[in-house]
Amino acid sequence: MLHSLKAIQSYKSGNMPEAQQQWLQLLAAAEKPHINLERIHSIAELEGTNPVLDYTEHTLHVLEKLQVSFWVREILEDVLIWSETAKAGSREQRRIWQKQGVNLFVHNVGSAQLYDLYAGADQLDNEIGKSKEASITQLGSTSAALSKNADISEHTAPPSHTPRHEIIRTLIATHGLIGQYIRGEIPFAENAPLHALIVKGWLTTDELHTILMALNECIIAGVDPALWNQVCAEVQRIVGWIIAGPDHEDWSVKERLSRLRSSSIRQGEAMDEAYAKLQTEMDVEPILAPLAHRTLWYVESAMQDFSLQEMVKVFLLTLRSESMNPTFLESQSDIVRHISFEPLMNTMYYDYKGVKKLNIYKKRMIEKYLEQYSWEQIASGEQIVYPHLTHRIERHTNLPDTLFVTFEFSPAAEKLIAFCIEAEKSPLYEKAVLLLFDLFGLRRDAYDRFHNEETYLSDMNSSGDYKKVLLDYIVGKRVLDIGPGGGILLDLIEQEKPEVEPIGIDISANVIEALERKKQREGHRWQVMKGDALQLEQYVQPGTVDTVIFSSILHELYSYIELDGRKFNSDTVAAALRSSFRVLSPGGRILIRDGIMSEPEAQKRRIRFLEADGMRWLERYAEDFQGRAIEYERVSDNEVVLPINDAMEFLYTYTWGEEAYVHEIQEQFGIFTPTAYENCIREALGEQAEIITFEHFLQEGYTEALGERVIFMNEDGELAPLPDSTCLIVIEKKKGLADG
């Protein structure tokens, strides 16, 4: 077993690292992990753990299994045990390092500097034994003793170090850069010190090739063995370029942007289309030329959920802020080599019930902030005053070559965002989000679900079997799906009716973004657009749509949209029907699948709870539900009598459980009785509309879901079936009559 692995295992068994194992002391002392959040599933898991030490151990395990020579293994062992040290150390140690000019934010550079500070040539020789030194005498003769006052540079160690020390230091200083070059984060020239090892005669081309391939396998497979298998061939090609010389041509601006957005592209971003659109707005290559010689840290982790245009705006704001800084002399423009997005990355994520979540609140605010800037305003250096938010480009006095990028929220905004996150777990969620939008002077999308959006869209897609019945009633070529959710109905129409043109319209920016990514990722032909269901004629020409579908969306319009100063308003449903009817062609249809209420409404039902907290659920629901007053009579500790529609409305929410409560409590699923639905349709659409199908039924699943939780009875205590939950309505626009 590797000496370093034995040391780590000993430490994890409770033995403190020996004094000479300074690398382990530093890693063991890590108090705050400085890691890439991109591959972390739960930020909370990091508390009480040492992911930096764990990752180092993973890389050493990979090394132990590699078939390499003894001296290569020993070189790489020293590289790996020191390469993560800039992410470690106690807070006090880190403060001291920063005062000494150690760049802790460009981790490969900082780790190389720490290697110089702690692993002098003499000390290193004592640690690994004279036999190790003998195995590498071919690399050069020993130099003079280490000067304690020598400056700490980035890639070149003081000349007093042995060639062996300089090789290790160079490998630490360039540690991970091949992977970062693949990701578009660095220019190729950052790898130049590796080629210098050949020029100085310290390594042959074959030796450098062996070392770099083995080192990168340790680094990448230490994260994920599957990832190494994906990039191994590209790593080999880049190692060949490094060996050939330091002047290899860099990626083009478009290629580098594409690599920086590889995660976004995998999620469905149409990069070619986005870049072409950007090119129509500016000459991208020369404008982004100042980034060519800079390294970009954590940019993908921080900005993968933003659009290409938004990312480029952040780049330009950063470059412009650099040149506009009064303390920044023009003659120093080449001093900045590194741009770190680590502060932005750290502010963009939080934990929700053990899962890392994007802070969608901050994302929406930043998007609106960037939207205010035109390219001309950025170029001129104009600073837009935006309430409670600004971009922040910082520079530390002792790190003149590094810029730090983030967005700064006011204390009030930070506290309100934190409140919104906490409110996600309660009915306060709706009020909290409205407060946030009021603070920023924005109009909230009427039913943009910030909370648990991915889970919600997944749930929508799981209802495909229920929605498939709608396909039998579609007519014509052009179909609008209002509120397409996760896109399952769009998929079904595309698959089952290839002659039809499906278009999804949703007011939620979250939904549209997710659908655009899904479309690109899966290669769909359907279209989506952001739009208001009450104003469809603003997005499509009147009389040009053959079928409009409202699948489980009318009750959301009813519940969320405020019309004439109030929600839960039947006029909203009427307005949506009129809007859809105006864009409908003669002979076209409106299809409705949604909740239904029972009649006569005066019927009563008795519920016996089989779960201990059932009564508490009802009490909580009656207090929180805003659609109407829920009336119930408590007849025992576990039984209540209540109107049939109040009973069913409660059971809709009770069925879905705690996780969905914050959503379901906002919505009234059953909005009309059959008679009221028919009256609404006739009053809204008049004689041009003909109801050709009107069915209502109990949706599959409710009986099974509630069977072990409640006993449902009539008022006399006799077992009764659950009432109908869902309706299917088909409205046809008569031919030969002029639109009203």
Side-chain angles (χ1 to χ4, degrees), residues 158-169:
S160 53
H161 283 312
T162 64
R164 183 185 190 286
H165 180 99
E166 289 200 52
I167 290 170
I168 293 171
R169 185 192 191 283

Side-chain angles (χ1 to χ4, degrees), residues 130-198:
K130 293 181 180 179
S131 62
K132 190 182 254 191
E133 179 65 21
S135 68
I136 199 165
T137 52
Q138 60 180 317
L139 302 178
S141 59
T142 305
S143 301
L146 171 66
S147 169
K148 291 183 180 179
N149 296 322
D151 290 336
I152 303 173
S153 62
E154 286 203 3
H155 290 304
T156 306
S160 53
H161 283 312
T162 64
R164 183 185 190 286
H165 180 99
E166 289 200 52
I167 290 170
I168 293 171
R169 185 192 191 283
T170 301
L171 291 171
I172 295 170
T174 56
H175 172 268
L177 293 189
I178 289 177
Q180 288 180 260
Y181 183 66
I182 290 173
R183 290 162 60 96
E185 294 171 338
I186 67 163
F188 184 80
E190 291 292 310
N191 289 297
L194 292 168
H195 182 75
L197 298 177
I198 298 174

Side-chain angles (χ1 to χ4, degrees), residues 405-681:
V405 182
T406 191
F407 285 84
E408 184 174 83
F409 292 81
S410 71
E414 288 282 6
K415 285 183 171 60
L416 190 48
I417 288 169
F419 174 57
C420 287
I421 292 170
E422 188 60 30
E424 289 179 346
K425 306 161 191 173
S426 77
L428 286 172
Y429 166 71
E430 181 81 5
K431 294 179 181 177
V433 171
L434 291 176
L435 283 172
L436 182 65
F437 274 71
D438 285 345
L439 184 72
F440 282 87
L442 301 174
R443 178 191 176 276
R444 178 177 181 260
D445 284 343
Y447 40 96
D448 202 11
R449 287 173 174 79
F450 285 109
H451 166 82
N452 220 8
E453 178 71 14
E454 293 174 4
T455 302
Y456 168 74
L457 293 177
S458 176
D459 288 344
M460 293 301 98
N461 279 351
S462 69
S463 63
D465 290 344
Y466 303 149
K467 297 185 177 190
K468 200 168 185 178
V469 66
L470 293 166
L471 302 185
D472 294 336
Y473 298 94
I474 289 175
V475 295
K477 300 290 187 182
R478 200 175 192 208
V479 177
L480 291 188
D481 180 14
I482 309 300
I488 185 62
L489 188 54
L490 293 173
D491 287 349
L492 288 171
I493 296 170
E494 182 177 279
Q495 293 162 14
E496 302 294 327
K497 293 186 172 291
E499 76 283 2
V500 167
E501 176 193 357
I503 303 170
I505 293 184
D506 206 299
I507 200 170
S508 167
N510 291 352
V511 169
I512 295 301
E513 287 173 4
L515 287 173
E516 289 284 11
R517 291 194 298 269
K518 172 182 166 69
K519 177 186 175 182
Q520 181 71 12
R521 187 171 63 245
E522 300 175 4
H524 292 291
R525 62 179 174 82
W526 42 251
Q527 305 294 322
V528 291
M529 63 178 71
K530 190 172 186 293
D532 185 348
L534 307 190
Q535 304 290 336
L536 291 176
E537 60 270 30
Q538 293 186 8
Y539 315 100
V540 292
Q541 191 72 22
T544 63
V545 175
D546 300 306
T547 303
V548 178
I549 302 175
F550 292 96
S551 180
S552 290
I553 196 67
L554 281 179
H555 78 274
E556 294 198 358
L557 300 178
Y558 173 84
S559 302
Y560 288 107
I561 298 293
E562 189 172 293
L563 191 66
D564 298 329
R566 62 188 178 94
K567 299 179 183 179
F568 302 100
N569 188 345
S570 60
D571 290 344
T572 306
V573 177
L577 292 174
R578 283 193 293 268
S579 173
S580 61
F581 208 65
R582 285 194 291 269
V583 301
L584 210 60
S585 61
R589 290 177 176 177
I590 297 172
L591 313 184
I592 299 171
R593 179 189 171 277
D594 218 307
I596 194 77
M597 296 172 73
S598 295
E599 52 188 3
E601 296 183 68
Q603 299 173 78
K604 297 288 184 72
R605 288 293 182 266
R606 182 184 293 252
I607 295 176
R608 179 183 301 155
F609 292 106
L610 302 179
E611 296 175 322
D613 65 346
M615 188 66 73
R616 181 190 62 82
W617 260 85
L618 177 59
E619 292 169 349
R620 176 187 176 193
Y621 179 84
E623 182 177 343
D624 293 339
F625 184 60
Q626 301 297 312
R628 62 176 184 269
I630 300 296
E631 301 175 0
Y632 64 94
E633 177 187 354
R634 185 167 177 167
V635 295
S636 72
D637 289 344
N638 66 342
E639 280 192 30
V640 293
V641 173
L642 65 174
I644 188 170
N645 289 315
D646 287 355
M648 199 59 186
E649 195 64 48
F650 162 69
L651 290 176
Y652 292 138
T653 297
Y654 191 57
T655 302
W656 288 102
E658 185 69 38
E659 179 66 20
Y661 184 83
V662 67
H663 287 322
E664 299 301 322
I665 195 64
Q666 311 292 337
E667 301 176 6
Q668 181 173 320
F669 185 58
I671 56 177
F672 293 128
T673 64
T675 300
Y677 234 132
E678 186 171 346
N679 290 338
C680 176
I681 292 167

